[in-house]
């Protein structure tokens, strides 16, 4: 096998010496068939580049030696915008094994063909590299700038690339498009097969076919090829343009036999043995060794991608890779394979395609079906597919992220077919967000914390971002993102990042505060805060189009969880909600719950497939729109600082408060229950008071009748009557319908319950005052203790009422210093009265002695004592 590689390198060296010249100007080869140029195209609405393509002509000569590829392109300038593109021509070629032959550079004007071979400016320079993507192109580029091109001119040029990469062992396989985004007057493909190797053809979404002639040439020509405008966001595995595949590989097994010699393991290489001794010095099991080797190849060997040349097909020896410190995917794969096998870990290289893996079973066996490599590792009964080019991966072999490549071709002697790769686990693309929002402050501010958990791919991507930008830059990026939702928000503490290396999880915690979170609602006496599940917004992108002719790609597998927890002040009331959207492509739920002052809005999304077919697109868009609009939630307050809640009818805009009517109806419903039960309780209190002292008042002989006693007697009566009249006046306010409507529209349901409780206590107080009035007239000895109890109860209720206002009614009722002073004054006055009534002798003499009223003349008074038996 090594002899074949050495022979290929010798061939390459010979080609390098023979193709020392950059390019040649030669006549069109004899084997090329002339193809006529079609007439100018009619107006093409899809052509907006200022020129129309008249002819695309490609011809291929397949031979054991000096294979050649001929290209001819003809276009017409239709507007000034197309002059620059038509007059500037670039042709890439690989000097290592190709010779560029330039045949024609013509401008056709008014039917006259003007050669530009000696008028145009021609230059050869290295092809452009993409340092940002670490792609280093070894091609050369011929640049042509035509002279004097005008609107209406027809530009024609043709060239050949002579020679093939010897590492292909003179195999021929190609993919030819049969349509493009713009229309083409004529497409002509021709193959001349002098290699005597049979060719296979496979057509995709095209009725055109190659016609075979007796001289082993094949011709396909299509006139008036219409341009195709693909739908946006179609899957990678879907090809929007018709095409034909041509290959002389007879089977996938033949492809394996062609590739396998290039990837012979070098586990006995001294450089590999030395590196293995350094990496695996500590005691490790096989999984730990595999992870250690993978990490070294991924992060210690810099990734580059030489796009063309011999190295594009032949990996470098691991010793050279270790020496230079950079490598492409083939080099990295061979290095990882050698390291693993040096430790006795069963492993092999597998060919995959990063975009077309799902469609590979539809392809002809050929080398162009692959553009990437994985290393397959077997440990026990488990098989893992490792990508040596990924970076910043952490976790166990079970939690390492690996994109779904669908199919692979392992490089094993005798491998006959593709193998299906297992779909990645759901946890490989997971994002979870928990928002914690504190709205309990009496001021207008909001305390805000975001806890985001990234798993699988997102964990790898976040580590990459941190490595490239740093934590400070990431913190500023997050702040800028959050300010889009809450303008004016600021950092409260630095960004915190936590790592769970074993499970491949990264957690970030952001700390913010907003001093002006509540914003006015237009045309309403409200201020509001709107909450949006930004994680869902990032991924639930509703397509703009209404119909599609091509599949739509969606992220899969993907699991998103976004939970918003809002701490509200005591007394707040929230309506619970549930929403579920079940689509063939995804599942979405939203649950709103309220408990112990915490409003929780939980969103959950997971995808079921990676593609939406055109016939399912309308339903998918509608369901996605429903899920997207359900994401928004708003909390509003009256401008008097009273909390109200609402669910907006439309996204991103306030709507009517859904809680107002409910509060008003609930209050009306509760009012009569309170009145009836409190009234019954009051009647029970009066009955208990009279039952405790059934005897009516009897005036005692020698009862004080001084003016002082009578004054005290009248003053107490006035106080009792004053309390009664004031209570009746306050009580009447509770039956004013307008008052209840204002209360229902102003106060939250929690605070309304406090008002209902106050109503019940008011009814009980009135019952006590009514009892006191009756006692004064009939049972005056019971009057003073009951009246004192009422005064003490009034003091205690005042204290409880103030405390409840401070706890439940905070931010809803303004309890000022003047209110507090008035409460203390009332309490002081009532305490003085209680002390006076309990201790004053005149009060005792007036109310606590009994006598018989209207005693007959001459009859002696009867004195009643505690031990006297007065039974007749």
């Amino acid at each position: 096998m090594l002899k074949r590689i050495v022979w290929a390198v010798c061939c390459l060296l010979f080609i390098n010496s023979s193709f020392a010249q950059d390019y040649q100007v030669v006549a069109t080869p004899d084997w090329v068939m002339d193809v006529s140029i079609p007439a100018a195209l009619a107006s093409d609405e899809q052509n907006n580049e200022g020129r129309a393509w008249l002819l695309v002509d490609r011809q291929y000569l397949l031979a054991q030696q000096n294979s050649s590829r001929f290209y001819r392109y003809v276009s017409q300038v239709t507007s000034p915008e197309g002059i620059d593109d038509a007059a500037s021509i670039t042709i890439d070629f690989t000097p290592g094994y190709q010779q560029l032959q330039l045949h024609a550079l013509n401008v056709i004007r008014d039917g006259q063909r003007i050669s530009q071979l000696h008028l145009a400016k021609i230059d050869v320079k290295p092809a452009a590299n993409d340092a940002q993507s670490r792609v280093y192109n070894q091609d050369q580029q011929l640049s042509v700038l035509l002279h004097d091109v005008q609107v209406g001119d027809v530009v024609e040029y043709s060239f050949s690339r002579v020679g093939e990469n010897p590492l292909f062992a003179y195999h021929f396989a190609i993919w030819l498009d049969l349509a493009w985004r713009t229309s083409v007057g004529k497409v002509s493909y021709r193959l001349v097969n002098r290699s005597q190797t049979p060719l296979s053809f496979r057509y995709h979404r095209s009725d055109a076919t190659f016609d075979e002639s007796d001289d082993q040439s094949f011709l396909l020509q299509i006139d008036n090829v219409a341009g195709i405008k693909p739908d946006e966001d179609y899957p990678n595995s879907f090809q929007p343009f018709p095409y034909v595949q041509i290959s002389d590989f007879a089977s996938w097994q033949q492809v394996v036999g062609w590739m396998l010699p290039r990837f012979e393991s070098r586990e006995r290489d001294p450089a590999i043995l030395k590196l293995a001794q350094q990496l695996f010095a500590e005691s490790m099991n096989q999984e730990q060794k595999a992870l250690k080797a993978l990490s070294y190849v991924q992060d210690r060997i810099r990734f580059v991608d030489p796009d063309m040349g011999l190295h594009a097909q032949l990996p470098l020896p691991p010793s050279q890779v270790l020496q230079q410190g950079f490598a492409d995917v083939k080099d990295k794969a061979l290095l990882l394979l050698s390291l693993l096998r040096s430790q006795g870990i069963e492993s092999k290289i597998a060919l995959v395609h990063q975009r077309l893996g799902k469609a590979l079973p539809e392809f002809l066996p050929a080398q162009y079906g692959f553009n990437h490599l994985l290393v397959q590792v077997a440990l026990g009964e488990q098989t893992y597919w490792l990508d040596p080019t990924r970076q910043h991966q952490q976790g166990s072999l079970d939690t390492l992220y690996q994109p779904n490549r669908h199919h692979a071709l392992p490089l094993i002697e005798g491998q006959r077919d593709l193998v299906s790769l297992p779909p990645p686990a759901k946890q490989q693309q997971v994002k979870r967000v928990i928002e914690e929002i504190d709205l309990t402050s009496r001021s207008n501010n909001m305390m805000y914390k975001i806890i985001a958990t990234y798993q699988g791919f997102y964990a790898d991507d976040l580590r990459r971002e941190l490595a490239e930008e740093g934590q400070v830059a990431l913190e500023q990026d997050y702040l800028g993102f959050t300010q889009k939702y809450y303008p004016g928000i600021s950092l409260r503490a630095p960004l915190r990042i936590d790592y769970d290396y074993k499970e491949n999880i990264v957690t970030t915690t952001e700390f913010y505060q907003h001093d002006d979170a509540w914003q006015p609602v237009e045309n309403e006496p409200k201020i509001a805060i709107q909450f949006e599940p930004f994680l869902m917004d990032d991924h639930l992108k509703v397509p703009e189009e209404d119909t599609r002719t091509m599949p739509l790609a969606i992220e899969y597998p993907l699991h998103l969880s976004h939970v918003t927890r809002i701490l509200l002040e005591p007394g707040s009331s929230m309506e619970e909600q549930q929403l579920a959207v079940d689509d063939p492509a995804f599942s979405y739920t939203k649950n709103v719950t309220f408990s112990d002052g915490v409003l929780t809005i939980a969103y959950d999304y997971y995808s079921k497939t990676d593609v939406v077919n055109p016939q399912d697109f309308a339903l998918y868009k509608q369901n996605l729109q429903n899920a997207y609009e359900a994401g928004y939630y708003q909390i509003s307050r009256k401008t008097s600082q009273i909390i109200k809640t609402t669910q907006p009818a439309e996204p991103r805009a306030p709507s009517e408060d859904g809680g107002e009517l409910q509060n008003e109806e609930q209050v009306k419903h509760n009012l009569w229950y309170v009145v009836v039960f409190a009234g019954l309780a009051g009647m029970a209190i009066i009955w208990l008071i009279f039952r405790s002292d059934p005897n009516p008042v009897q005036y005692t002989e020698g009862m004080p009748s001084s003016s002082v006693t009578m004054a005290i007697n009248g003053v107490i009566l006035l106080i009792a009557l004053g309390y009664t009249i004031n209570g009746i006046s306050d009580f009447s306010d509770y039956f004013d319908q307008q008052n209840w409507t204002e209360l229902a529209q102003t106060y939250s349901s929690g605070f309304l319950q406090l008002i209902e409780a106050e109503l019940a206590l008011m009814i009980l107080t009135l019952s006590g005052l009514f009892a006191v009035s009756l006692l004064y007239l009939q049972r005056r000895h019971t009057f003073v203790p009951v009246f004192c109890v009422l005064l003490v109860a009034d003091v205690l209720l005042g204290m409880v009422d103030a405390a409840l206002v401070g706890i439940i009614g905070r931010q809803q009722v303004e309890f000022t210093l003047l209110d507090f002073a008035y409460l203390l004054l009332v309490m002081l006055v009532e305490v003085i009265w209680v002390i006076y009534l309990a201790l004053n002798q005149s009060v005792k003499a007036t109310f606590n002695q009994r006598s018989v009223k209207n005693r007959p003349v001459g009859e002696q008074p009867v004195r009643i004592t505690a031990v006297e038996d007065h039974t007749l």
Side-chain angles (χ1 to χ4, degrees):
M1 295 182 181
L2 288 177
K3 291 181 180 180
R4 296 169 62 184
I5 297 177
V6 172
W7 173 83
V9 173
C10 292
C11 291
L12 182 64
L13 295 176
F14 171 76
I15 294 173
N16 274 333
S17 61
S18 61
F19 287 171
Q21 186 177 350
D22 291 332
Y23 70 97
Q24 296 176 339
V25 178
V26 299
T28 302
D30 294 337
W31 65 270
V32 173
M33 180 185 76
D34 184 48
V35 179
S36 61
I37 301 174
L41 293 176
S43 175
D44 180 9
E45 294 182 357
Q46 297 194 58
N47 174 31
N48 56 5
E49 298 179 352
R51 62 173 173 164
W53 289 94
L54 304 181
L55 176 64
V56 173
D57 178 19
R58 299 179 187 174
Q59 303 185 42
Y60 302 86
L61 176 62
L62 284 61
Q64 292 295 334
Q65 299 290 335
N66 295 327
S67 293
S68 182
R69 302 188 180 197
F70 170 83
Y71 305 85
R72 182 182 175 209
Y73 299 100
V74 182
S75 63
Q76 184 175 28
V77 181
T78 59
S79 70
E81 289 75 17
I83 293 177
D84 288 342
D85 288 339
S88 301
I89 301 170
T90 58
I91 304 170
D92 291 339
F93 66 103
T94 306
Y97 54 83
Q98 284 181 341
Q99 180 188 23
L100 178 63
Q101 295 180 348
L102 191 58
H103 306 308
L105 290 174
N106 298 320
V107 173
I108 305 173
R109 183 179 300 163
D110 299 329
Q112 181 181 1
R113 181 176 271 104
I114 304 170
S115 176
Q116 294 262 347
L117 285 172
H118 303 291
L119 295 175
K121 181 180 179 181
I122 303 176
D123 187 22
V124 177
K125 58 184 178 182
N129 293 320
D130 186 355
Q132 183 175 2
S133 300
R134 291 173 290 184
V135 175
Y136 299 94
N137 201 329
Q138 297 182 8
D139 283 1
Q140 294 289 309
Q141 188 174 82
L142 179 80
S143 298
V144 178
L145 182 60
L146 297 179
H147 177 72
D148 187 24
V149 177
Q150 301 177 13
V151 175
D153 288 349
V154 174
V155 175
E156 173 193 20
Y157 66 97
S158 61
F159 62 93
S160 294
R161 297 188 182 109
V162 180
E164 296 288 343
N165 191 332
L167 292 179
F168 282 120
Y170 303 107
H171 276 290
F172 178 81
I174 198 168
W175 173 317
L176 298 175
D177 287 325
L178 301 179
W180 297 268
R181 291 179 180 268
T182 185
S183 299
V184 178
K186 178 180 244 183
V187 176
S188 180
Y189 291 133
R190 179 169 175 262
L191 288 82
V192 179
N193 186 10
R194 296 179 183 172
S195 66
Q196 304 303 315
T197 303
L199 296 176
S200 298
F201 298 84
R202 184 167 292 178
Y203 304 90
H204 297 263
R205 295 195 306 279
S206 175
D207 296 329
T209 60
F210 276 90
D211 295 327
E212 182 179 1
S213 62
D214 295 338
D215 60 352
Q216 283 292 301
S217 66
F218 302 84
L219 179 65
L220 182 151
Q221 290 187 335
I222 310 174
D223 294 325
N224 299 318
V225 177
I228 296 176
K229 184 179 181 181
D231 293 337
E232 299 292 334
D233 301 322
Y234 56 81
N236 286 330
S237 58
F238 175 81
Q239 294 302 306
F241 306 105
Y243 61 96
V244 57
Q245 294 174 322
I246 307 169
S247 176
D248 65 3
F249 283 98
S251 64
W252 291 114
Q253 184 177 1
Q254 190 177 10
V255 176
V256 170
W258 170 66
M259 290 288 293
L260 189 57
R262 308 174 194 184
F263 292 95
E264 290 186 342
S265 175
R266 312 292 177 85
E267 66 264 25
R268 298 302 176 189
D269 189 309
I272 291 293
L273 296 176
K274 180 179 179 181
L275 176 60
Q277 187 177 11
Q278 296 173 354
L279 292 179
F280 312 124
E282 301 176 0
S283 176
M284 298 180 182
N285 59 33
Q286 294 295 77
E287 179 178 357
Q288 291 171 332
K289 290 181 178 180
L291 289 170
K292 188 78 170 181
L294 178 65
S295 176
Y296 180 89
V297 174
Q298 286 180 334
D299 298 327
R300 297 288 298 274
I301 304 298
R302 187 164 54 93
F303 175 70
V304 297
D305 187 9
D307 192 50
M308 293 293 289
L310 175 65
H311 185 52
Q313 300 297 329
L314 184 65
L316 294 174
S319 57
Q320 183 177 342
V321 172
L322 294 174
Q323 184 178 11
Q324 67 188 23
F326 62 85
D328 73 350
V329 61
K330 297 177 294 300
D331 309 330
K332 280 176 168 271
L334 183 56
L335 174 60
L336 179 58
L337 178 77
S338 301
L339 274 174
L340 293 172
R341 288 193 176 179
S342 73
Q343 301 303 301
I345 298 175
E346 182 182 348
S347 52
K348 57 186 69 72
I349 288 177
L351 308 177
V352 296
H353 200 290
Q354 292 174 302
R355 296 185 302 106
L356 303 177
K358 195 173 184 180
L360 272 178
E362 303 173 8
F363 289 2
L364 287 174
Q367 84 283 358
Y368 58 68
F370 311 99
N371 67 351
H372 199 64
L373 301 174
L374 299 178
V375 176
Q376 181 184 3
V377 174
L379 290 177
E381 297 181 356
Q382 296 295 321
T383 300
Y384 305 97
W385 303 83
L386 309 181
D387 188 339
T389 64
R390 300 194 68 84
Q391 290 183 298
H392 310 292
Q393 288 199 298
Q394 299 287 346
S396 64
L397 289 176
D398 289 321
T399 61
L400 286 181
Y401 169 72
Q402 173 57 46
N404 192 0
R405 304 304 186 193
H406 298 282
H407 295 92
L409 184 63
L411 296 182
I412 309 172
E413 193 72 43
Q415 180 71 30
R416 295 177 177 273
D417 207 347
L418 301 169
V419 298
S420 297
L421 299 181
K426 287 185 177 181
Q427 70 269 20
Q428 292 223 335
Q429 284 190 201
V430 178
K431 278 186 184 179
R432 294 186 175 91
V433 166
I434 298 176
E435 294 180 287
E436 295 182 357
I437 301 169
D438 188 345
L439 296 179
T440 59
S441 172
R442 295 189 62 183
S443 62
N444 203 30
N445 71 350
M446 173 179 77
M447 307 304 286
Y448 185 31
K449 181 166 72 171
I450 302 174
I451 305 170
T453 302
Y454 303 85
Q455 193 168 350
F457 165 78
Y458 296 109
D460 294 353
D461 194 55
L462 182 59
R463 283 190 292 265
R464 175 198 57 78
E465 193 172 356
L466 283 167
E468 293 177 356
E469 298 185 12
Q471 183 166 331
V472 175
L474 184 66
E475 181 181 85
Q476 292 303 311
D477 288 344
Y478 283 1
L479 174 61
F481 178 85
T482 306
Q483 287 175 338
K484 294 178 181 179
Y485 289 87
Y486 304 105
I489 203 167
S490 59
L491 286 172
R492 180 162 52 94
L495 174 69
R496 190 178 75 204
I497 303 177
D498 300 301
Y499 299 92
D500 184 340
Y501 294 103
K502 182 177 180 181
E503 297 298 326
N504 191 21
I505 296 174
V506 181
T507 303
T508 63
T509 307
E510 306 163 58
F511 304 89
Y512 301 103
Q513 67 181 32
H514 201 323
D515 296 330
D516 193 21
W518 298 88
Q519 298 297 313
V521 177
E522 186 176 359
N523 299 325
E524 293 189 49
K526 299 178 183 178
I527 53 177
I529 302 180
Q530 185 167 287
F531 303 95
E532 303 179 24
F534 57 83
L535 181 59
M536 300 295 170
D537 289 355
D538 279 351
H539 293 270
L540 304 187
K541 303 298 184 183
V542 181
E544 295 182 359
E545 66 269 25
D546 294 325
T547 60
R548 289 182 67 94
T549 60
M550 300 177 182
L552 173 71
I554 62 175
E555 290 185 84
Y556 175 83
L558 175 63
H559 183 199
L560 305 174
S561 173
H562 190 119
V563 178
T564 302
R565 295 175 183 157
I566 307 171
L567 181 60
L568 299 172
E569 61 183 293
S572 300
S573 175
M574 293 292 179
E575 180 181 354
E576 297 193 347
Q577 302 173 0
Q578 289 80 36
L579 172 71
V581 179
D582 191 19
D583 185 85
F586 71 91
S587 176
Y588 174 91
T589 59
K590 173 186 176 182
N591 290 298
V592 181
T593 58
F594 183 72
S595 177
D596 297 330
V598 178
L599 174 68
T600 302
I601 313 170
Y603 307 88
D604 193 81
Y605 168 94
Y606 69 88
S607 57
K608 302 177 182 179
T609 181
D610 61 347
V611 64
V612 178
N613 293 319
Q615 63 269 22
D616 301 325
F617 176 73
L619 177 62
Y620 169 80
K621 180 179 179 179
Q622 183 59 54
N623 285 334
L624 193 64
Q625 184 73 36
N626 294 340
Y628 180 79
E629 292 181 358
Y632 304 96
Y633 199 91
Q634 177 178 289
I635 295 180
S636 65
R637 292 177 175 176
K638 295 290 185 180
T639 52
S640 58
Q641 304 297 308
I642 306 305
I643 281 187
K644 303 297 291 183
T645 65
T646 177
Q647 174 81 27
E650 296 182 1
R652 305 182 186 276
S655 64
E656 293 297 323
D657 284 332
E660 293 181 358
L661 182 60
Q662 181 185 6
N663 283 346
E664 184 176 349
E665 294 299 326
Q666 187 65 38
V667 165
K668 292 178 182 177
H669 181 73
N670 293 343
L671 174 61
W672 291 108
Y673 285 103
V674 172
V675 171
V676 170
F677 284 108
L680 292 175
M683 294 173 63
I685 290 175
I686 295 174
W687 179 78
L688 287 173
I689 291 174
F690 276 78
R691 186 176 184 278
S692 66
D693 185 13
N695 294 321
V697 172
Q698 296 181 359
Y699 288 101
T700 59
E701 183 177 304
M703 175 181 172
S705 60
S706 67
S707 59
V708 174
T709 302
M710 296 306 296
I712 294 173
N713 201 343
V715 168
I716 295 176
L717 177 61
L718 289 176
I719 293 173
L721 290 176
Y723 269 99
T724 304
I725 294 171
N726 183 67
I728 294 173
S729 175
D730 291 342
F731 183 67
S732 65
D733 290 338
Y734 284 88
F735 290 89
D736 189 326
Q737 179 62 38
Q738 182 178 357
N739 285 350
W740 277 109
T741 300
E742 292 178 356
L743 288 170
Q745 293 180 349
T746 304
Y747 290 86
S748 65
S749 61
F751 194 74
L752 287 173
Q753 293 173 5
L754 175 62
I755 298 176
E756 292 167 1
E758 189 176 28
L759 171 61
L761 293 175
M762 181 66 71
I763 294 174
L764 295 178
T765 303
L766 282 174
S767 301
L769 291 172
F770 181 72
V772 164
S773 300
L774 294 178
L775 290 173
Y776 181 81
L777 297 175
Q778 295 190 15
R779 289 171 172 78
R780 296 177 62 184
H781 61 281
T782 315
F783 171 82
V784 171
V786 173
F787 190 43
C788 288
V789 168
L790 284 177
L791 291 177
V792 172
D794 191 55
V795 172
L796 295 176
L797 289 175
M799 296 172 62
V800 172
D801 188 56
L804 291 175
V805 167
I807 297 173
I808 301 178
R810 184 157 40 96
Q811 287 190 352
Q812 301 188 34
V813 173
E814 201 66 36
F815 195 75
T816 64
L817 184 61
L818 182 62
D819 295 329
F820 183 71
Y822 176 76
L823 176 63
L824 288 179
L825 178 62
V826 171
M827 291 169 57
L828 180 62
V829 171
E830 292 184 344
V831 168
I832 292 174
W833 270 110
V834 169
I835 295 174
Y836 175 79
L837 292 173
L839 302 180
N840 187 270
Q841 295 300 320
S842 297
V843 172
K844 290 181 179 181
T846 303
F847 292 100
N848 294 349
Q849 297 182 26
R850 298 181 180 181
S851 64
V852 180
K853 186 178 179 181
N854 297 325
R855 174 174 53 89
V857 177
E859 185 175 329
Q860 297 299 320
V862 178
R863 298 210 178 258
I864 301 175
T865 63
V867 297
E868 185 178 6
D869 183 4
H870 56 274
T871 304
L872 296 178

